[in-house]
Amino acid sequence: MPIQRARSLADLYTSVADYDLVLVPEAPLASALNRRLDRPQFGTFATTPRRLAAGRREQAEDRTAFLELADTVDDSWKALSYAIGNVLQCWENHGQAAGILEYPAYDDPTTRTVVDRLAARQSTSQQLTEFTVDADQSVAVVGLPEFTELERSILPAEYDTYPLLTDDTFDYPAFNIFRSPSAIVDAVVDTIDEESADNVAVVLDSSSQYSPLVESALEAADIPYYGGPGFIDNLDVRAVLRLLRVAYRGSETTVSDIAPILSRLGTDVDIEHSEKRLAATDLPATAWITEVCETIEGRTFGSLLTAYESKAGRTLDRLRDELESLGLHDTVVTESRVSDLAFYLDFYEVPVDRENEGVLLADAKSAGYVDRQAVFFLGLDEGWTNSAPQRPWVDTEAQFDRYIRRFQRLIQSGSDQYYLVEDTAGGQPVTPCLYFEELLEEPFERFSDLESVRYERTVDGNRDGFAKTAVEPPVESAPIETISQTSLNNFVNSPREYLFSRLVDSPDKDYFREGNLFHDFAEFYVNYPEIIDTDTLSEVVDVMLEEAKPFYPETDRMLRRRQYRIGLETIVEYLDANPPTAPADLPPAGEPDENFFASYFDRPVDSPLTERQFTNPDLGINGKIDLVEGPTALLDYKSGSKKSAYDVCKQAAMDPPNDTINYQAIAYLAQFRTHQPNAELSFSFFHFLETLDDAITGDAAVDDTLTIVSYYPQSFDEFVGTRPAYEVLLDGYKDCVATFEELGFGGYSDIMTDLTFPDTTERSALRESDFADRFAKAVRQETSDDVDAEKGADQAIRALNGVRKRNFFKDDLDQFEEFVADRLTEINRYRAGEERFPIEGLGGEPNYRRIDHRDMFLEGSR
């Protein structure tokens, strides 16, 4: 069916102006008719049935009923609230309070108590039940199909009805499509000023992201508005509620849990403390909250509120009144009562005093009429769709009919209507409100399938924006010459993440702190192995436990003690068995970082082998090598899970990048190669906690902690003809060993001299290559029938390909150096403002599991 045209207010008023009483389904429509009244009127002219029966503006009857019954009913607040809601809803649809008892599933003691109490008090529903319109009045009923059974019960025997919808069709305006919610909100706010605010309404889903965006944008522009944030949205109310909740989290409470409270009080705590446990953190700004948490059991809700008010420097009279209404003000705080209060504030809309001036913000799910000249409708998506209550007393078809009638009237509100929507969000089409499916005869899946106009966000050059300070002389951005492997990983995954990781500080985390302590110990031990004995190791464990204490609960102490001990012993065992030796031409190292254990034992760490910082503008990389293990070997300590050499090389892929990017090994080998250009080099990851479980059972082997990746100073095609490659074939598959033992290194080398290994690692492509065919023929020709040369050659290709996948070669490092240069060019282009840092990385959509600043990415942005 098409959208029916709503009856104009002028036409409706003309039709009902001569009646003594006009009943309408909603208060805004009644107010609009009353404003048009052009004759003296004794008593009420246009009103809703509830206002007429109660003699006052409607109140949230479920909340007022709850406040009256909460102290007199023994049931939980959730059960009581559930029963009240069911009784009132059934009463609305059935016409009688006791109607719900006809449904056995809902006939329980709590519901019976609620029925008796509500029937005995002068609630709006009870007044409606008992009220009848004076038969001597002439009565007009507007929009009768939208009246509930209870509202119809007051109607006199005779009355006239007037529809709110006509038989004409409403030609809806085109949908204005924007790229993001922020662009939509900007477009709305740009058209409003303080003078025009009273003529504008914004209709939106109050639970959507549009609501806070609109409110903050209007506040920033100093444009008045009303109908927006509720009582629970008050930042002080939320801070008090959070304070009550965190008081019962015990030792698990972290500084980040209380950050919103501190922020509301205008107090900042350095982000490095965010992940630390509150109870183990000695910070002046948090001391009073720690004291509240420790003494919560003896406090009343009122005294806790007073403590907060004292810190905030302002009174929360409305919250105090609400606590008194609930009977909680002088009640001792308990965890169950905190849950009750949180439920009440989340479930019920507590009235707030507000000035009814400025832009009207209306909720799309509850409004049916908006009396403003210009009305902006934001979103118009699935969030605008109401769900009919799934209760046996609700006629879902009739309820859906009411919803769709109200929706048709709503989207025609105002002299000028503007539909502002997104066509896609997060890469997916936005589904229009389901009511359009019933109302529009043309097929569609998204807004762009309908009559629509696309708008691109433009920058208003007349706005001042953020305050700026002129710099004289003008400063140009200095280009970045080097990048660390960590920053390179971030940039390749997502340039936007790289940007934010440089702009925004991150909190200390337990694994960062523990990892740094292990690293510092390893560095210290290389310098002073003679002073670390069994007793000293125990002392080191105690110190580490104390340093990491803010990050873990006390119950974890014994487990961590064992873990730290095993990790330290594994480091000692490895370094004792493999004492590092310096290369003869080791270049100078950068300034050493502060070492925790050097400070603790009051000894300097000055070994040229440990924590070697480097900056190499020629390569474009910088970093810090944990340990120069020997003339051709580097080592890096890792507290995380072990990865295979294959995974290390796979993660260093460049075209395209791997989903889990990690360029550490290849970057450090490239740096090491500059000092040993013709040497075979190795990079080892020492996962000193890898054998934790085996150490407990006594089966640990230190070799199991190592992942070693080698670098060969020739191309892979050159490498395959060398003796090291041949040795690989003699230590592999059975047929391969037999074949190439018989062939010998000389025969193997001669064959490889005339062949070129394919530039692919795909097994099927290798097997089907010309190289594989020629290689197999040559091997078969040079070996006897005693070996399976065909199978041996195939296994040899697989073995050699495995070497390529687990190691780096000259071409790999050459390609990496070019890769880094290209990335630095991109970074400096973005820094110069030639284009924005994009979200998508070199491989397309980033791996969001490796994004730490996801909340700073705007939806729909690029």
Side-chain angles (χ1 to χ4, degrees):
M1 65 180 190
I3 301 176
Q4 294 177 263
R5 179 169 290 279
R7 196 165 188 175
S8 70
L9 186 65
D11 178 49
L12 185 59
Y13 176 75
T14 300
S15 300
V16 302
D18 295 332
Y19 286 88
D20 297 325
L21 177 66
V22 180
L23 294 175
V24 297
E26 54 195 22
L29 180 57
S31 299
L33 288 171
N34 287 328
R35 283 193 290 269
R36 283 185 170 264
L37 197 61
D38 57 2
R39 59 177 172 79
Q41 171 76 20
F42 179 75
T44 302
F45 173 60
T47 189
T48 65
R50 284 187 172 272
R51 280 191 179 184
L52 180 64
R56 62 180 186 275
R57 299 181 68 178
E58 300 103 310
Q59 297 181 352
E61 189 175 7
D62 56 349
R63 175 180 163 273
T64 57
F66 178 85
L67 290 175
E68 292 187 20
L69 299 181
D71 278 346
T72 60
V73 177
D74 294 334
D75 292 277
S76 71
W77 282 13
K78 286 186 179 181
L80 176 62
S81 175
Y82 177 76
I84 290 173
N86 283 334
V87 170
L88 291 176
Q89 188 187 81
C90 184
W91 200 343
E92 194 75 40
N93 287 270
H94 195 281
Q96 295 293 326
I100 192 172
L101 302 179
E102 297 177 9
Y103 302 94
Y106 296 89
D107 185 359
D108 56 57
T110 303
T111 301
R112 286 182 174 274
T113 300
V114 171
V115 168
D116 293 341
R117 298 288 180 84
L118 293 184
R121 59 188 288 273
Q122 283 300 301
S123 64
T124 305
S125 292
Q126 184 61 30
Q127 290 171 308
L128 264 174
T129 303
E130 299 172 352
F131 186 85
T132 56
V133 174
D134 188 347
D136 294 335
Q137 290 181 296
S138 59
V139 178
V141 178
V142 177
L144 181 62
E146 297 184 35
F147 282 54
T148 65
E149 194 65 32
L150 182 58
E151 290 171 333
R152 296 184 188 203
S153 68
I154 72 167
L155 299 178
E158 296 184 3
Y159 55 86
D160 296 326
T161 62
Y162 293 89
L164 285 168
L165 298 172
T166 70
D167 293 332
D168 295 333
T169 300
F170 172 67
D171 295 326
Y172 63 90
F175 293 98
N176 299 302
I177 297 176
F178 291 80
R179 291 188 61 181
S180 68
S182 58
I184 290 175
V185 172
D186 283 349
V188 173
V189 176
D190 284 345
T191 64
I192 308 171
D193 55 34
E194 191 171 354
E195 294 181 1
S196 64
D198 288 333
N199 297 320
V200 176
V202 176
V203 182
L204 43 74
D205 173 13
S206 62
S207 63
S208 71
Q209 60 183 316
Y210 289 104
S211 186
L213 285 174
V214 169
E215 292 158 13
S216 60
L218 291 173
E219 288 176 2
D222 291 325
I223 298 173
Y225 67 92
Y226 70 98
F231 182 76
I232 188 59
D233 298 311
N234 181 282
L235 295 179
D236 284 312
V237 172
R238 298 180 74 87
V240 171
L241 187 58
R242 177 174 285 268
L243 180 58
L244 286 164
R245 282 171 162 163
V246 300
Y248 284 96
R249 288 200 62 192
S251 63
E252 296 300 311
T253 302
T254 64
V255 174
S256 65
D257 292 329
I258 64 169
I261 304 173
L262 298 175
S263 176
R264 182 57 184 161
L265 298 178
T267 303
D268 290 325
V269 174
D270 197 295
I271 193 172
E272 70 176 85
H273 302 295
S274 293
E275 299 297 325
K276 295 178 180 178
R277 293 183 305 119
L278 179 63
T281 305
D282 185 17
L283 298 171
T286 65
W288 74 277
I289 298 181
T290 302
E291 194 269 335
V292 166
C293 293
E294 292 174 349
T295 61
I296 190 65
E297 296 293 345
R299 291 178 177 267
T300 63
F301 283 90
S303 67
L304 183 137
L305 178 57
T306 299
Y308 178 85
E309 289 174 329
S310 175
K311 286 292 180 180
R314 50 187 172 269
T315 58
L316 305 180
D317 294 336
R318 188 67 190 85
L319 177 57
R320 192 176 297 277
D321 292 343
E322 208 62 23
L323 291 175
E324 290 176 346
S325 298
L326 292 164
L328 292 179
H329 186 272
D330 298 322
T331 301
V332 174
V333 178
T334 64
E335 189 171 5
S336 62
R337 279 305 185 192
V338 171
S339 297
D340 286 340
L341 177 61
F343 164 76
Y344 170 79
L345 293 176
D346 285 338
F347 192 79
Y348 290 109
E349 185 175 342
V350 178
V352 294
D353 296 329
R354 44 171 122 240
E355 296 292 333
N356 291 344
E357 60 180 26
V359 177
L360 170 62
L361 304 184
D363 182 15
K365 288 187 176 180
S366 57
Y369 176 79
V370 178
D371 187 25
R372 290 294 173 97
Q373 179 179 339
V375 183
F376 294 91
F377 301 87
L378 310 190
L380 291 157
D381 52 25
E382 288 179 299
W384 281 47
T385 308
N386 286 282
S387 298
Q390 299 300 307
R391 296 291 187 271
W393 52 79
V394 176
D395 184 339
T396 55
E397 291 186 6
Q399 187 63 49
F400 178 78
D401 184 61
R402 291 192 190 101
Y403 288 150
I404 204 165
R405 284 174 174 272
R406 187 171 68 190
F407 175 77
Q408 291 179 88
R409 292 192 293 112
L410 175 63
I411 62 175
Q412 299 178 57
S413 296
S415 301
D416 303 304
Q417 303 95 20
Y418 303 94
Y419 299 167
L420 283 63
V421 302
E422 284 186 283
D423 198 43
T424 60
Q428 298 298 319
V430 172
T431 303
C433 176
L434 299 184
Y435 299 134
F436 284 121
E437 189 174 332
E438 292 288 326
L439 298 171
L440 302 181
E441 297 175 339
E442 52 190 312
F444 64 90
E445 293 183 357
R446 55 203 294 176
F447 287 110
S448 58
D449 294 336
L450 302 167
E451 184 180 354
S452 57
V453 179
R454 288 190 179 272
Y455 286 88
E456 292 296 327
R457 184 176 180 177
T458 58
V459 178
D460 185 355
N462 296 321
R463 290 192 175 187
D464 294 334
F466 291 108
K468 303 178 181 66
T469 302
V471 178
E472 297 292 344
V475 177
E476 293 186 2
S477 173
I480 289 179
E481 295 184 347
T482 64
I483 187 171
S484 70
Q485 60 90 15
T486 301
S487 293
L488 181 62
N489 296 340
N490 282 336
F491 182 80
V492 175
N493 185 40
S494 169
R496 190 78 55 88
E497 169 68 6
Y498 162 82
L499 171 66
F500 287 133
S501 68
R502 291 175 61 86
L503 295 178
V504 181
D505 290 333
S506 298
D508 284 351
K509 294 183 180 293
D510 57 345
Y511 51 87
F512 287 163
R513 186 60 183 144
E514 291 173 344
N516 288 337
L517 289 170
F518 277 119
H519 275 68
D520 285 357
F521 172 80
E523 180 185 17
F524 184 81
Y525 187 76
V526 170
N527 284 263
Y528 302 102
E530 70 280 358
I531 73 169
I532 302 296
D533 55 23
T534 301
D535 292 337
T536 310
L537 209 57
S538 298
E539 183 180 349
V540 169
V541 171
D542 290 338
V543 172
M544 290 180 64
L545 286 169
E546 193 62 27
E547 283 296 304
K549 183 178 179 180
F551 296 102
Y552 64 86
E554 194 63 27
T555 53
D556 285 357
R557 188 176 181 88
M558 293 303 297
L559 177 62
R560 287 178 182 258
R561 176 181 292 279
R562 184 64 173 151
Q563 177 179 317
Y564 293 173
R565 182 78 187 203
I566 292 173
L568 295 174
E569 289 175 346
T570 303
I571 291 173
V572 168
E573 180 184 356
Y574 179 81
L575 292 175
D576 284 348
N578 302 276
T581 56
D585 57 346
L586 191 67
E591 285 296 320
D593 287 339
E594 182 179 344
N595 182 290
F596 176 84
F597 291 103
S599 300
Y600 180 79
F601 289 107
D602 194 22
R603 299 199 182 198
V605 288
D606 51 12
S607 170
L609 306 180
T610 58
E611 300 295 320
R612 292 188 56 83
Q613 297 192 38
F614 67 89
T615 299
N616 191 331
D618 293 334
L619 292 183
I621 57 176
N622 63 72
K624 182 166 62 176
I625 298 169
D626 286 351
L627 179 65
V628 178
E629 195 172 13
T632 59
L634 304 178
L635 182 137
D636 192 80
Y637 303 105
K638 294 293 183 185
S639 57
S641 299
K642 181 182 175 182
K643 294 180 175 62
S644 67
Y646 169 77
D647 287 332
V648 171
C649 294
K650 184 178 180 182
Q651 291 177 339
M654 290 162 269
D655 186 20
N658 188 257
D659 189 47
T660 54
I661 301 162
N662 192 328
Y663 294 118
Q664 182 179 9
I666 196 171
Y668 287 10
L669 284 170
Q671 162 64 15
F672 208 32
R673 181 175 69 162
T674 61
H675 306 292
Q676 308 263 27
N678 300 313
E680 291 185 13
L681 309 175
S682 69
F683 187 93
S684 299
F685 289 107
F686 176 28
H687 297 269
F688 51 83
L689 293 177
E690 181 66 22
T691 56
L692 188 64
D693 294 338
D694 293 335
I696 294 174
T697 61
D699 297 326
V702 73
D703 288 346
D704 293 338
T705 64
L706 295 174
T707 296
I708 302 174
V709 179
S710 295
Y711 163 72
Y712 295 94
Q714 66 257 78
S715 68
F716 179 71
D717 187 51
E718 293 170 337
F719 168 79
V720 295
T722 64
R723 182 167 287 281
Y726 177 73
E727 296 293 338
V728 169
L729 305 185
L730 302 186
D731 188 30
Y733 305 104
K734 179 180 178 180
D735 289 304
C736 180
V737 172
T739 300
F740 288 92
E741 279 184 344
E742 179 177 314
L743 180 64
F745 173 67
Y748 169 77
S749 179
D750 291 341
I751 292 173
M752 284 302 187
T753 300
D754 298 328
L755 298 177
T756 299
F757 205 93
D759 187 21
T760 180
T761 58
E762 291 292 330
R763 182 183 299 180
S764 58
L766 283 173
R767 282 177 165 174
E768 296 170 3
S769 66
D770 179 64
F771 166 84
D773 184 57
R774 293 176 60 193
F775 180 63
K777 288 180 179 178
V779 171
R780 188 168 53 249
Q781 184 175 345
E782 298 297 327
T783 55
S784 68
D785 294 338
D786 294 335
V787 298
D788 189 340
E790 191 78 30
K791 193 171 182 179
D794 180 67
Q795 291 176 350
I797 292 174
R798 288 169 57 190
L800 292 171
N801 194 41
V803 173
R804 174 160 55 180
K805 289 182 177 182
R806 294 190 299 272
N807 300 280
F808 294 115
F809 295 86
K810 182 178 183 299
D811 293 347
D812 299 319
L813 268 62
D814 291 346
Q815 180 188 0
F816 176 74
E817 292 178 8
E818 294 177 6
F819 178 80
V820 172
D822 290 342
R823 303 293 77 75
L824 286 173
T825 299
E826 291 175 0
I827 290 172
N828 288 317
R829 188 171 72 247
Y830 298 145
R831 282 168 51 83
E834 295 181 21
E835 55 184 298
R836 297 177 65 194
F837 280 86
I839 289 178
E840 292 189 345
L842 196 63
E845 184 177 15
N847 179 354
Y848 282 105
R849 295 189 302 276
R850 295 194 161 205
I851 297 291
D852 292 328
H853 304 93
R854 179 68 178 87
D855 55 337
M856 303 180 73
F857 289 10
L858 293 178
E859 290 288 346
S861 64
R862 288 288 179 265

